[in-house]
Amino acid sequence: MTDRQRSARLLDAWQAVVDPIAGSDPGFNRLRSATRGALTIMLALAAEWVFVRATGALEVTAPEHAGESQLAAIAVQHHDILVVALLLGGLVGLLTSMNVNDRTLAGQAVTLLVVPAALISSLALGLGLGTRRVPALVVMVLVLTAGAYARRFGPRGTPGGILLFIGYFYGYFLSATLGPGDVGWLSAEIGLAVAAAAVVTVVAFRPSPSADLRRAMRSYEALVRRVLALAVTYFDEPADRRRTALRRRILRLDEAALIVEGQLDRPAGAPAERAVQLHQRLFDVELALSNAARFVELLATAEPRPAVRSLVREGLVSIAAGDDGAARHAAARLRALFPMEGRWVPATVGTGPNRQVVLHRYAFSIETLAGALPALAGALRAATHGTAGEAGSEHAGAGFQPAVTLRAGWLPGSADVSTEAAGLPRARVRLAPYLRTTAQMAVSVSIAIVAGYALDAQRFYWAVVAAVLVLVGTNTVAEQLRKAAYRVAGTLVGVVVGTALVDAVGTHSLWSLVVVVVSSWLGMYLFRVNYAFMAMAVTISLSQAYLSLGEFSGGLLVERLAETAVGAGAAIVAVLAVVPLHTRRVLDVATADLVDAVASLADGAAAVLAPPEGDGTAQSAPSDGRAFDLRAAGRRVDAAYQALVATSQPLRMVSWADSQDRVARLMAAAAAARHYSRNMVFDTEGARPAGVDPDALAHARAILAASAGALSARLRGTPAAPVYTRAGALFGAAERALATDDAPPSPALLVLRDLALVDGTLARIATRQGMAMRTLDTDPAPEAPPEPAAGAELGDAAPAAGGG
């Protein structure tokens, strides 16, 4: 075996290990966050142990002639003080690590100062009021309400509110044994934990735009390889589970691309020209690959001919192997089997024209990938290493604006559309999100305190914590109900696992700390996969803490489960009764945003076919600037679709909140609208307006824009025309006029066909919104829309009609 073969084999082995991690964790965000948190906890625990042992902080001094029983009690007090310090240090280290996510070192320094300020001030208040039960509980509600209101102050407001509660809660918890005079020692312990977080951040996780960009691209590249491998596997052996896995990976690929582009607007992230180039190449690769994968879904079961199947597979395998020449050759041979003559109809139609159109579109996707993947690698080198980029961009130096603004390295999910939905006229009560959360927090915590106190006056705070955490980081009723269920389920599993680990570890302090650190790491790493993992990790860690304090028992953990259920129930009552933000309302707004983005892209693509205003001559091919504009519009479609997916996900669990079938149909239509509109980015390249009637096209554009605007307004609950007028017939007429029998195929035909398909998908969404349908070629007057049958929904068959 040669050195080159050995290196290739090692690289393949390394990719086989790393690719699954990179593909499921864009930018390695979860891995970095969990590792950073675990290291901070370890360093904070070590610092607290040294500090208490060296200073004797809060330890009782033994009298000169103390007896054995007195010395034993003092030893227990010293042990308990050490455990309290370790708990405080570990908790503060964890919270600091999770909440200090600024994109610059200076910003992180400011946040690191906010953490101790919020904790110490509320800790002192808790120590002072803890022994006066009624005032302390009233103030607890006020502190939590103020903390929820702090969301209005931006990225530092939300964690600041949580820190206020944690500080007050810890002070309340310690008030039975410590007083306000002890706040100095506790402040020092908090400072040590914050310092540990600062050290870990500066030494191992210092913000680096170029490094973050490379990690994000590593995930993107891993997903490209995974999609290609899954496409080949599905083509060879079609199965529903493989098709589902392939579609999920394609959606993750789009998420990874948006995260990569979200890194490009950071200071020193990439020069403007190179950011634009990378953005363009990312879009080209993702669109070509997602199209190829979708066409493979159709061809896997619809194409029986061995020779054709061999060429389809060869194209995929060659791209996966990096053999661009072989991929182009396979695509060319595939095209040669089915030449296209006039009117975009294949010359050979033995198995139907639609399938052969799909084969041509598949070949085009393979050819595009063969050129786009090497170009993407070059654009990445230029963006991260300062090499010379590609020339020709008219937008060089003009700056780059990504389609989304990342939040701690992640897409915003349903947060932005929830904010928009909360302020629209159809909302029952129009409140800013922070005011809504404030009201719900006040009610849920009050219920949790009363119910939890009735269950156990000593451990009621578990109910309060559960009620608080259900409302943190959630936006809609369905999200809050899902998180409440996960909180209870995770606690239940944590009780079982925590008890087993207590029996296994026993009184070995070192192993107990190992359990705490490992469970915390797993909880943070899997937090975004399912919140139940975090709840389980917290319960396991508390089991070890109570073991160290000599209070552990199986009944104690069962009581924690009961209190958690009470707190989750209190949160559910509050979110359902106090100005709820229903998921269906937010889903409508997310759909409206997608409709707006699709309509904007469609109008921009149609404009390519229109001659310049005031000039009857044909317009030249779109410039690089025009192509970039369409790609940017395509990314806005992607961002809107990702928000729609994030909003709809909780409805899979809370099935009674909305019809599962209705949501599935909506998502199928939305996915089709996204596919068809994005394809216009490729189809407009090389398109000419020659032969297109500018007046007819302008009329069709105006109708499509007006209908999309009416649909968007209806989804948002604002006054709108109750009729959706179909523009598809006008685009179809323009296509027929352009596609004469003796004319060669024209790229403009694909643009017109894409426009008609986009109109069709938007019309389906409008039908489901109860809008009447007006079809210009057969129905000049509005009519009541019939409800489409279940089998008539867009999906697998739609692309075969000729669209991308």
Side-chain angles (χ1 to χ4, degrees):
M1 181 184 298
T2 66
D3 291 341
R4 186 173 183 177
Q5 291 174 327
R6 188 178 295 106
S7 298
R9 181 169 295 184
L10 289 174
L11 179 60
D12 290 342
W14 172 251
Q15 288 182 348
V17 173
V18 177
D19 278 5
I21 300 173
S24 64
D25 183 13
F28 296 93
N29 285 336
R30 289 192 290 115
L31 179 62
R32 284 171 54 81
S33 176
T35 305
R36 177 185 172 191
L39 290 176
T40 300
I41 290 173
M42 292 171 60
L43 185 57
L45 292 177
E48 302 294 352
W49 188 90
V50 172
F51 177 75
V52 172
R53 290 302 188 208
T55 64
L58 300 175
E59 293 181 347
V60 174
T61 304
E64 185 176 351
H65 302 290
E68 289 187 7
S69 60
Q70 194 174 10
L71 290 175
I74 291 173
V76 170
Q77 192 269 345
H78 287 184
H79 173 76
D80 290 349
I81 285 296
L82 177 60
V83 173
V84 165
L86 294 176
L87 280 172
L88 180 59
L91 180 60
V92 173
L94 173 64
L95 291 172
T96 305
S97 175
M98 293 181 67
N99 290 302
V100 179
N101 294 306
D102 303 80
R103 301 171 71 178
T104 64
L105 198 59
Q108 291 185 350
V110 173
T111 306
L112 285 169
L113 294 176
V114 171
V115 171
L119 283 171
I120 294 171
S121 59
S122 57
L123 175 71
L125 184 61
L127 287 172
L129 292 176
T131 55
R132 289 171 279 183
R133 185 60 56 91
V134 175
L137 296 180
V138 171
V139 171
M140 182 178 292
V141 175
L142 295 177
V143 168
L144 282 166
T145 303
Y149 183 80
R151 287 184 62 178
R152 71 164 299 179
F153 300 111
R156 292 192 180 98
T158 300
I162 295 296
L163 293 169
L164 285 174
F165 165 67
I166 295 298
Y168 184 86
F169 165 75
Y170 212 82
Y172 177 88
F173 177 77
L174 295 176
S175 61
T177 55
L178 301 176
D182 299 316
V183 72
W185 286 113
L186 295 172
S187 298
E189 292 171 358
I190 290 174
L192 280 175
V194 173
V199 169
V200 171
T201 297
V202 172
V203 173
F205 296 90
R206 188 184 184 94
S208 171
S210 60
D212 291 344
L213 179 59
R214 285 193 295 270
R215 282 192 297 270
M217 275 301 303
R218 178 67 179 83
S219 295
Y220 182 87
E221 292 164 349
L223 281 166
V224 168
R225 287 190 288 269
R226 185 59 176 160
V227 169
L228 286 168
L230 284 173
V232 173
T233 303
Y234 178 79
F235 186 73
D236 290 341
E237 300 178 24
D240 288 342
R241 59 183 179 83
R242 291 193 177 100
R243 181 174 63 243
T244 300
L246 179 58
R247 291 179 177 179
R248 286 177 178 171
R249 291 302 187 281
I250 292 173
L251 186 62
R252 285 185 178 177
L253 181 66
D254 179 67
E255 176 190 12
L258 286 167
I259 288 176
V260 170
E261 294 193 7
Q263 302 284 358
L264 296 177
D265 70 331
R266 297 176 62 179
E273 179 184 5
R274 293 164 185 167
V276 169
Q277 293 165 2
L278 184 56
H279 150 76
Q280 292 173 338
R281 303 303 165 239
L282 279 169
F283 188 90
D284 292 349
V285 168
E286 184 210 338
L287 179 56
L289 181 55
S290 61
N291 278 345
R294 289 191 304 112
F295 295 141
V296 162
E297 285 189 34
L298 296 171
L299 297 170
T301 54
E303 180 51 68
R305 294 164 292 187
V308 176
R309 294 182 66 88
S310 176
L311 289 175
V312 171
R313 191 180 192 280
E314 182 182 343
L316 280 176
V317 172
S318 298
I319 289 292
D323 192 343
D324 300 331
R328 287 193 176 95
H329 182 63
R333 290 170 60 194
L334 195 58
R335 286 182 184 276
L337 288 177
F338 309 106
M340 306 288 274
E341 295 180 358
R343 303 183 68 90
W344 266 145
V345 177
T348 304
V349 292
T351 55
N354 286 344
R355 189 181 305 165
Q356 301 198 36
V357 170
V358 170
L359 286 168
H360 270 260
R361 301 302 300 265
Y362 171 78
F364 171 76
S365 299
I366 292 296
E367 289 171 343
T368 302
L369 276 173
L373 282 170
L376 175 62
L380 177 61
R381 286 193 299 271
T384 56
H385 295 95
T387 60
E390 302 172 26
S393 176
E394 294 181 3
H395 289 262
F400 175 76
Q401 183 62 44
V404 294
T405 300
L406 302 182
R407 301 189 178 190
W410 297 95
L411 299 184
S414 66
D416 293 341
V417 290
S418 297
T419 301
E420 181 183 356
L424 290 178
R426 270 181 56 183
R428 186 182 304 174
V429 179
R430 297 170 65 179
L431 286 177
Y434 62 87
L435 291 176
R436 186 184 303 272
T437 304
T438 299
Q440 292 175 343
M441 186 72 76
V443 172
S444 64
V445 170
S446 298
I447 296 173
I449 287 176
V450 173
Y453 197 86
L455 185 62
D456 185 346
Q458 297 299 319
R459 312 291 185 189
F460 75 94
Y461 48 78
W462 282 332
V464 176
V465 171
V468 170
L469 294 180
V470 165
L471 296 177
V472 173
T474 53
N475 302 293
T476 67
V477 168
E479 289 180 1
Q480 291 158 339
L481 296 180
R482 181 178 64 170
K483 192 173 183 181
Y486 286 157
R487 179 78 187 176
V488 176
T491 302
L492 175 60
V493 176
V495 166
V496 176
V497 176
T499 301
L501 288 174
V502 163
D503 293 339
V505 170
T507 58
H508 297 284
S509 299
L510 181 60
W511 282 111
S512 181
L513 291 176
V514 170
V515 168
V516 169
V517 173
V518 171
S519 63
S520 297
W521 185 91
L522 288 172
M524 287 182 284
Y525 182 70
L526 299 173
F527 173 75
R528 287 185 171 271
V529 175
N530 192 310
Y531 177 71
F533 288 109
M534 191 63 170
M536 180 180 69
V538 170
T539 303
I540 293 172
S541 298
L542 284 176
S543 301
Q544 298 298 319
Y546 281 115
L547 177 66
S548 298
L549 292 171
E551 299 181 16
F552 177 82
S553 68
L556 183 66
L557 291 185
V558 172
E559 185 179 334
R560 169 173 167 75
L561 176 62
E563 292 282 1
T564 298
V566 167
I572 291 173
V573 170
V575 301
L576 291 176
V578 181
V579 288
L581 183 58
H582 293 292
T583 308
R584 179 64 194 177
R585 182 75 210 98
V586 182
L587 192 67
D588 284 346
V589 173
T591 306
D593 286 346
L594 179 65
V595 169
D596 290 342
V598 168
S600 175
L601 177 54
D603 191 69
V608 174
L609 302 183
E613 187 174 342
D615 183 0
T617 61
Q619 180 178 308
S620 61
S623 65
D624 288 343
R626 173 67 59 86
F628 165 66
D629 289 339
L630 290 177
R631 285 174 171 81
R635 275 293 176 236
R636 288 191 289 273
V637 171
D638 291 338
Y641 183 74
Q642 287 286 345
L644 179 62
V645 170
T647 304
S648 68
Q649 280 179 341
L651 294 175
R652 299 174 186 175
M653 176 180 172
V654 191
S655 59
W656 54 265
D658 204 341
S659 166
Q660 290 278 348
D661 181 64
R662 178 170 179 156
V663 173
R665 289 169 179 263
L666 169 65
M667 297 307 297
R674 171 175 171 261
H675 292 320
Y676 296 145
S677 62
R678 296 199 323 157
N679 280 336
M680 287 187 281
V681 176
F682 280 175
D683 293 341
T684 53
E685 295 182 352
R688 301 290 193 278
V692 180
D693 183 347
D695 293 333
L697 184 60
H699 182 48
R701 285 177 61 191
I703 290 178
L704 178 59
S707 296
L711 173 57
S712 176
R714 187 176 184 87
L715 286 163
R716 289 187 168 88
T718 55
V723 178
Y724 184 99
T725 302
R726 293 290 305 272
L730 300 178
F731 292 122
E735 180 186 352
R736 289 190 295 273
L738 189 60
T740 59
D741 289 328
D742 57 349
S746 166
L749 289 169
L750 283 178
V751 179
L752 293 169
R753 184 171 296 179
D754 291 335
L755 288 167
L757 290 168
V758 165
D759 174 69
T761 57
L762 296 184
R764 289 188 180 277
I765 297 174
T767 298
R768 301 198 178 283
Q769 291 298 316
M771 297 181 72
M773 199 61 52
R774 182 184 181 194
T775 306
L776 295 177
D777 54 350
T778 60
D779 238 349
E783 63 172 8
E787 182 67 15
E793 193 57 53
L794 290 172
D796 293 343

